[in-house]
Amino acid sequence: LAAIEMELKQIDHDGDVEHVEHFQEPWRLFGYPTVQINMMSRHSIFTTSVIDASGYRKQYLKVKSQTNTPMGEGRQLVEMTIHTPRLLTSMSGKAVIASKSSDVYADRIKLLKENQKQLSETLEEELASQRLEEKEVGACQQEEQHTVRRHKIAIEMRDFIKMPWTCETYRTMRPFYDEVKAGQKKLSTKDLLQRFQRLWLENVPEYAHLVEEAVDVM
């Protein structure tokens, strides 16, 4: 993509692409210095100009005649007759035929832009696929961390249940057992474990450090 963008920057603009022909003729005692210049345009749309480089204070250089002949593919053969209609005056200069770069390289620019679009779409698809893979990896890592935390809480809960309880611990956990004994609403095993876990973590100070990372054991 960087190479395509660089090439487009170099050719996709309205600056001129020039074809230059230099000419020089000495002065003559009889007649005027005259040259015939043949140049091929790079595009059907073009401009021509003649620049006098003789060094005189006044420009004497003139285009005597110009003929444009279509040559196919939008190009034209430009035939110019240039002279200096002044005796004892030498002639020096250049003929320039110019077309816009964006016109000259239109086909190349079109191809580059098509390739640029195709590459951009391919790159976007690859990035989307990569983002999806990263999301899936992140989800797997998150699930793994969740499993580790659940296992840790389950072990801590098991050890808590198996350990000898103090009177204070019994008083703390009594609301759970009162609710179970009352039996006003039949609770599933999952509900029983979740209620026990919440009461245990929120009210037994020794396990307060587990609250932030706690997940339901079931």
Side-chain angles (χ1 to χ4, degrees), residues 30-66:
F30 302 101
Y32 305 137
T34 304
V35 294
Q36 181 73 32
I37 300 294
N38 297 329
M39 296 187 296
M40 187 73 70
S41 72
R42 299 287 299 275
H43 191 266
S44 59
I45 302 174
F46 62 90
T47 60
T48 58
S49 59
V50 175
I51 300 172
D52 193 339
S54 300
Y56 298 111
R57 292 183 179 180
K58 184 177 179 180
Q59 178 172 318
Y60 300 109
L61 200 64
K62 293 186 181 299
V63 178
K64 186 175 182 180
S65 64
Q66 176 175 326

Side-chain angles (χ1 to χ4, degrees), residues 134 136-146:
E134 290 174 351
E136 291 175 349
V137 169
C140 289
Q141 292 176 340
Q142 186 176 6
E143 179 62 26
E144 182 179 350
Q145 293 171 359
H146 185 84

Side-chain angles (χ1 to χ4, degrees), residues 161-205:
I161 294 173
K162 292 174 64 176
M163 67 181 290
W165 286 9
T166 65
C167 292
E168 182 65 28
T169 302
Y170 276 111
R171 282 194 293 270
T172 300
M173 301 304 296
R174 184 171 179 174
F176 169 77
Y177 292 104
D178 288 345
E179 182 179 4
V180 174
K181 289 179 180 179
Q184 295 179 354
K185 180 180 179 182
K186 187 176 181 180
L187 299 174
S188 66
T189 302
K190 180 179 180 180
D191 289 334
L192 287 171
L193 279 173
Q194 288 179 347
R195 289 171 185 251
F196 182 92
Q197 178 182 337
R198 283 195 292 270
L199 187 63
W200 161 55
L201 291 178
E202 292 174 2
N203 295 281
V204 180

Side-chain angles (χ1 to χ4, degrees), residues 20 27 62 67 83 90 116 119 122 146 157 167 187 193 198:
V20 180
W27 62 270
K62 293 186 181 299
T67 303
H83 70 154
S90 61
Q116 184 183 46
L119 284 173
T122 301
H146 185 84
M157 184 186 295
C167 292
L187 299 174
L193 279 173
R198 283 195 292 270

